[in-house]
Amino acid sequence: MTGLIRVSKDLRFSLANARISYLFQVSPEGILEHLYFGQNIGSESQLPAMPRRSFRGATNEFEGIAHYNLSDIGQEYPLFGRSDARHPALHLINADGNTTNTLLYQSYTISKQKPPLKGLPSARGGDSETLLVTLVDKVSQLHVVLSYTVYQHHDVVCRSVEIFNDGEKPVVLDHALSSSLDLPAGDYDLLHLRGSWAREFDAQRMKLPAGTFSISSASGASSNHHNPFIAVMQAGTGEQHGRVIGAALMYSGNFAITVEQGEFGPVRMSLGINPFNFSWQLPPGESFVCPEALLTFSPLGLEGMSHNWHRFVREYISPTQFNNESRPSYLNSWEAAYFDLNEELVLQLAEQARSIGLQMLVVDDGWFAGRHNDRSSLGDWFSDKQKFPNGIQATAAKVKQKGLKFGLWMEPEMVSPDSDLYRAHPDWIIQVPGRTLSTGRNQLVLDLSRNEVVEYLFKRIDDILCGGDIDYIKWDMNRTMTEIGSTHLPSHQQLETAHRYILGVYQLLSRITSKYPDVLFENCASGGSRFDLGMLRYMSQGWVSDMSEPVGRLAIINGASYLFPLSVMASYIGPVPSHQNGRLVSLKMRSEVGFFCAARGLSLNSGDIDKDQQALVEIIKFYNATADDVVSGVYRRLQFGENEVCWQLSSADGKRIYVGYFHILSEPNLPFRRAYLRGLDAQARYQLVDSDQAYSGDALMYMGIDLPYVHAIQQQGTDYMDQGDFSSHLMTLIRVDGE
Ligand code: GLA
């Protein structure tokens, strides 16, 4: 592979593969001017649209250069206060107190190796080339290295930034963003994911407003309020048409994404660590590394963008140990028993799990010393001797003798005030002295900006994993930060706490996951409150939401799928009435919505498993048989409406097509619906399983397949859905032409 990055003699940079181009150039003044990000442009030497230097009324001219007004110029890493008053990528207080800086081009290098980021997760390299561009401010004595990676087979550009203080006094960073992208004036729509507990990833689509639109988090985690992801697209873009730029930050702490329409119409999209409540002392001779930002482009609408992300996350972000592995089906003890656990019950659940074909038993919260409710014991990661007299490892060994894998829940970053750990180390928490601390779920946040806390946690987790009987860890994090500060840091560094905390989390995760690469880690934060590409770099899957009720889950999976592949999503069949919203939904619908996640299982008590034993055997057989297809398959959002949802999953080889149709409330005399399948082989034939019907690929795509009709009035003998409200149908089509 050669030539993904080209640089002309007059310093025009082209980062391109066969499908996309990212172009910028050095202006005569030395400013790095952004030119273009979009569909591939074969030659960057004769571009029809270039930055213009034209007279405009009442504008400032950079360093007095005629008509060169930076607020009208696309820039790769813009700064404030030198004729551009828009949102800057970098804003810092120089040693002499002012905030005026200018970064001018100095040099570049190209490498076939993508260097890892110091202390932060980043995408793997592989079929890529990386360009490092150095920009310098001689007056302020600092330099910045911008890094760009472009891939041969993936339409993703990774960007990161390292800022160096070359002076003799500290400077204070207050905006240190990872990426800024200037788009031409035009009509754009935005799509982002907002939410709250149990209703995460709620996709919001809107017209780009005049002014500034931003999403962010400020409470220490990427959060369920907004996900560090946005799509900026040509107005009117659909699932399969329209130019879309997607951006995501590989970061699990406070982030901000801002989309600003400047006074002349161009649009600036920037992303990075949230500048609010952040500042960083950068001592002389040291550098600051910004988290990695990922940008993707698709001319094929939102589905095209999602497919770019899905392939990339699977190949270059998910841990390699499991990225192409089917995930074990499991029974999780949480909604089955909550804190009421003991060895006898765990072994009974394991026996039942085995008898219905499940592959793993997961002991959730409640197994460690003194943990009988959510008011105590976080931090005391030792087995509760009354519940597990010989320790949880001994129970794990017994579960494994039954031929099952064994999984365990932990919440390492937290501590209960009522715990031995807190009593021994009251200073080990995020806090502001003199303030009565707010609690969340009765717990406090350990101060992972301190090395000794990271060290302590590493040792505890290591002790639990070193016996070798634990195959899976569900790593939870159930509250965000308040009273944000560290007693370990001096006063002028208090606003570094939240970022230093995340660096501590990453250090801990990186050490644990590299020592135990064969342990499957699942990321959880009260469901999806820290579900981001940073955590997914260490953990193969994530608990998308505590909402296990399927109607509530439809919007969550649909929204999450804009960025995340099904391979990183976990689900389970929960009890009825639902513990989250009280709804009564059939086992069929619970299992069929749950189908659209790679990690599948149940969280039902012994009685419920016995009651539905036969049906569960069939469901788990189907889950196990299709597990590979969900990890590596191609997922499509065929329809998402308030009352009807239809999804398609095609196996990687295109031989099996699954179509899920979910109808929420029934009404009399509804229209007959069809689904227009996508991505089939037009010439091939597909047999509908459990019927004698076969259809041609072109007919399924262009004419559509009839969806089951939902009757409001139940009639005897109908072969349609089993109930009017909350009905569900999963069809499987198998390619039968022998290819
Ligand atoms: C969080 C998780 C749940 C469960 C509980 C245990 O709420 O999201 O799945 O593990 O913690 O306390």
Side-chain angles (χ1 to χ4, degrees):
M1 172 203 59
T2 49
L4 294 176
I5 297 175
R6 292 189 301 259
V7 186
S8 68
K9 280 209 186 70
D10 55 352
L11 294 174
R12 195 168 290 168
F13 293 78
S14 159
L15 293 75
N17 62 28
R19 296 161 306 281
I20 59 165
S21 291
Y22 188 111
L23 308 176
F24 55 85
Q25 68 181 10
V26 179
S27 80
E29 297 77 13
I31 301 284
L32 211 54
E33 293 180 339
H34 177 76
L35 296 175
Y36 172 77
F37 180 39
Q39 217 154 330
N40 175 267
I41 289 174
S43 158
E44 59 282 357
S45 64
Q46 290 166 322
L47 302 175
M50 296 288 284
R52 276 201 245 169
R53 297 181 178 217
S54 311
F55 172 79
R56 287 191 188 268
T59 53
N60 296 320
E61 291 171 327
F62 173 71
E63 297 190 347
I65 298 158
H67 311 321
Y68 195 55
N69 168 18
L70 291 182
S71 65
D72 209 7
I73 296 289
Q75 293 156 74
E76 284 301 310
Y77 204 59
L79 289 92
F80 167 79
R82 307 225 58 207
S83 78
D84 188 354
R86 292 174 294 169
H87 199 72
L90 179 67
H91 189 245
L92 56 95
I93 304 168
N94 291 309
D96 52 9
N98 71 61
T99 57
T100 297
N101 294 287
T102 297
L103 290 167
L104 298 181
Y105 171 81
Q106 188 182 57
S107 61
Y108 76 88
T109 57
I110 296 173
S111 152
K112 302 250 183 258
Q113 305 300 324
K114 181 173 188 285
L117 293 192
K118 276 179 248 160
L120 286 162
S122 56
R124 289 184 290 275
D127 61 341
S128 68
E129 285 180 11
T130 297
L131 169 71
L132 300 178
V133 182
T134 301
L135 308 176
V136 187
D137 185 334
K138 291 208 170 110
V139 179
S140 309
Q141 294 186 296
L142 56 100
H143 77 275
V144 160
V145 177
L146 306 182
S147 162
Y148 300 81
T149 300
V150 58
Y151 292 79
Q152 174 134 36
H153 300 296
H154 288 269
D155 299 345
V156 170
V157 174
C158 302
R159 289 190 58 174
S160 62
V161 179
E162 188 164 359
I163 303 153
F164 296 80
N165 179 0
D166 305 324
E168 272 152 29
K169 291 188 187 150
V171 299
V172 183
L173 304 179
D174 80 6
H175 273 58
L177 302 189
S178 302
S179 168
S180 178
L181 187 68
D182 284 333
L183 306 173
D187 283 338
Y188 294 95
D189 289 347
L190 303 179
L191 183 138
H192 69 98
L193 306 171
R194 66 109 200 240
S196 181
W197 176 75
R199 51 180 178 78
E200 300 87 344
F201 303 109
D202 179 11
Q204 298 290 309
R205 166 104 184 228
M206 63 181 71
K207 274 190 86 54
L208 171 70
T212 302
F213 172 81
S214 74
I215 52 173
S216 62
S217 70
S219 52
S222 51
S223 94
N224 50 26
H225 310 168
H226 297 286
N227 198 269
F229 155 80
I230 201 160
V232 180
M233 59 200 130
Q234 183 185 358
T237 288
E239 274 293 304
Q240 293 184 281
H241 66 87
R243 296 191 296 271
V244 187
I245 290 176
L249 192 68
M250 194 181 286
Y251 188 58
S252 312
N254 299 333
F255 78 94
I257 298 181
T258 303
V259 188
E260 177 182 6
Q261 202 167 22
E263 62 174 313
F264 306 115
V267 172
R268 173 167 292 172
M269 176 179 74
S270 38
L271 59 161
I273 293 176
N274 191 352
F276 169 69
N277 211 32
F278 164 85
S279 97
W280 191 273
Q281 297 286 322
L282 190 58
E286 290 198 10
S287 70
F288 181 82
V289 181
C290 305
E292 185 160 84
L294 292 88
L295 305 171
T296 190
F297 172 80
S298 173
L300 298 173
L302 287 162
E303 180 176 292
M305 174 199 70
S306 295
H307 285 173
N308 288 354
W309 287 130
H310 294 178
R311 288 178 51 240
F312 189 76
V313 170
R314 244 184 342 232
E315 192 165 343
Y316 287 127
I317 295 179
S318 287
T320 48
Q321 213 73 6
F322 296 100
N323 58 348
N324 291 313
E325 286 291 304
S326 59
R327 308 301 156 77
S329 56
Y330 62 92
L331 173 59
N332 176 299
S333 65
W334 182 237
E335 294 191 48
Y338 291 102
F339 298 97
D340 245 342
L341 293 173
N342 55 45
E343 182 175 84
E344 196 186 337
L345 179 68
V346 167
L347 294 179
Q348 183 191 338
L349 288 174
E351 190 49 40
Q352 286 181 292
R354 196 196 51 74
S355 74
I356 57 173
L358 289 167
Q359 296 160 329
M360 178 164 75
L361 193 277
V362 177
V363 172
D364 208 283
D365 199 351
W367 60 269
F368 48 97
R371 180 77 163 174
H372 306 302
N373 50 50
D374 67 10
R375 292 191 294 280
S376 78
S377 307
L378 290 171
D380 297 344
W381 302 110
F382 301 92
S383 306
D384 186 283
K385 282 290 156 61
Q386 272 169 359
K387 296 177 179 176
F388 299 95
N390 301 310
I392 195 72
Q393 279 92 345
T395 309
K398 289 183 192 165
V399 168
K400 297 196 75 167
Q401 277 160 17
K402 295 180 190 291
L404 295 173
K405 291 179 186 292
F406 184 84
L408 197 62
W409 178 94
M410 291 189 81
E411 195 178 353
E413 299 158 65
M414 297 292 147
V415 66
S416 308
D418 180 6
S419 68
D420 290 344
L421 181 66
Y422 182 73
R423 283 182 281 271
H425 298 285
D427 54 327
W428 275 14
I429 51 168
I430 295 287
Q431 60 183 305
V432 171
R435 296 276 166 205
T436 305
L437 299 184
S438 307
T439 48
R441 215 190 183 203
N442 311 301
Q443 60 200 52
L444 301 171
V445 184
L446 284 171
D447 183 357
L448 273 83
S449 74
R450 299 169 74 126
N451 279 336
E452 68 266 51
V453 175
V454 171
E455 213 43 62
Y456 172 84
L457 292 173
F458 177 78
K459 175 89 184 55
R460 287 305 326 123
I461 303 168
D462 192 22
D463 277 357
I464 289 165
L465 293 182
C466 68
D469 280 322
I470 293 167
D471 302 290
Y472 156 108
I473 290 282
K474 178 175 170 188
W475 182 298
D476 211 339
M477 194 286 290
N478 278 310
R479 67 155 290 187
T480 49
M481 292 179 192
T482 51
E483 297 87 27
I484 303 168
S486 169
T487 50
H488 186 63
L489 292 170
S491 57
H492 63 293
Q493 285 184 283
Q494 286 298 311
L495 298 190
E496 297 177 9
T497 305
H499 180 58
R500 287 183 182 274
Y501 175 93
I502 289 295
L503 293 177
V505 171
Y506 288 149
Q507 194 203 125
L508 179 60
L509 279 171
S510 151
R511 287 172 65 189
I512 285 289
T513 55
S514 46
K515 181 154 185 194
Y516 296 101
D518 295 328
V519 174
L520 174 65
F521 282 84
E522 180 166 311
N523 170 43
C524 178
S526 302
S529 189
R530 197 173 59 182
F531 199 111
D532 53 65
L533 298 179
M535 297 310 278
L536 291 172
R537 183 67 184 81
Y538 302 102
M539 309 210 200
S540 298
Q541 58 195 47
W543 183 237
V544 192
S545 175
D546 276 350
M547 175 54 71
S548 61
E549 187 280 307
V551 177
R553 259 207 171 223
L554 288 170
I556 296 171
I557 300 298
N558 204 80
S561 76
Y562 283 106
L563 173 59
F564 303 106
L566 300 188
S567 63
V568 303
M569 298 190 202
S571 71
Y572 61 52
I573 297 170
V576 282
S578 155
H579 294 187
Q580 290 79 42
N581 61 14
R583 196 172 276 146
L584 273 155
V585 179
S586 66
L587 183 59
K588 180 169 159 51
M589 186 174 202
R590 282 178 281 156
S591 75
E592 291 181 350
V593 174
F595 170 88
F596 288 89
C597 281
R600 291 135 3 143
L602 28 124
S603 191
L604 297 174
N605 66 29
S606 285
D608 286 341
I609 298 175
D610 279 347
K611 181 165 65 68
D612 287 318
Q613 168 96 14
Q614 255 333 93
L616 287 170
V617 167
E618 290 308 313
I619 289 167
I620 303 307
K621 201 160 121 194
F622 184 64
Y623 274 6
N624 292 343
T626 54
D628 271 336
D629 288 348
V630 190
V631 170
S632 56
V634 179
Y635 165 84
R636 292 178 164 92
R637 298 171 293 262
L638 297 189
Q639 187 188 349
F640 186 78
E642 273 184 12
N643 208 36
E644 284 168 87
V645 175
C646 189
W647 295 330
Q648 177 187 331
L649 177 81
S650 305
S651 61
D653 60 8
K655 291 194 172 151
R656 290 167 299 285
I657 314 295
Y658 308 93
V659 180
Y661 176 56
F662 309 107
H663 194 287
I664 298 164
L665 295 180
S666 67
E667 278 180 72
N669 286 339
L670 287 168
F672 296 119
R673 293 282 200 205
R674 288 178 194 181
Y676 299 89
L677 306 193
R678 297 182 197 150
L680 307 188
D681 180 340
Q683 312 304 324
R685 280 181 347 112
Y686 296 85
Q687 170 88 41
L688 181 63
V689 169
D690 292 335
S691 86
D692 50 11
Q693 303 291 322
Y695 309 100
S696 61
D698 48 8
L700 287 166
M701 291 192 289
Y702 313 138
M703 200 172 162
I705 182 169
D706 281 332
L707 289 170
Y709 180 61
V710 178
H711 283 283
I713 303 160
Q714 291 297 295
Q715 290 180 3
Q716 288 251 308
T718 173
D719 58 354
Y720 294 125
M721 303 204 175
D722 54 355
Q723 62 185 76
D725 288 345
F726 317 133
S727 55
S728 157
H729 204 86
L730 185 66
M731 293 181 265
T732 307
L733 293 136
I734 310 272
R735 190 174 167 150
V736 285
D737 56 357
E739 285 183 35

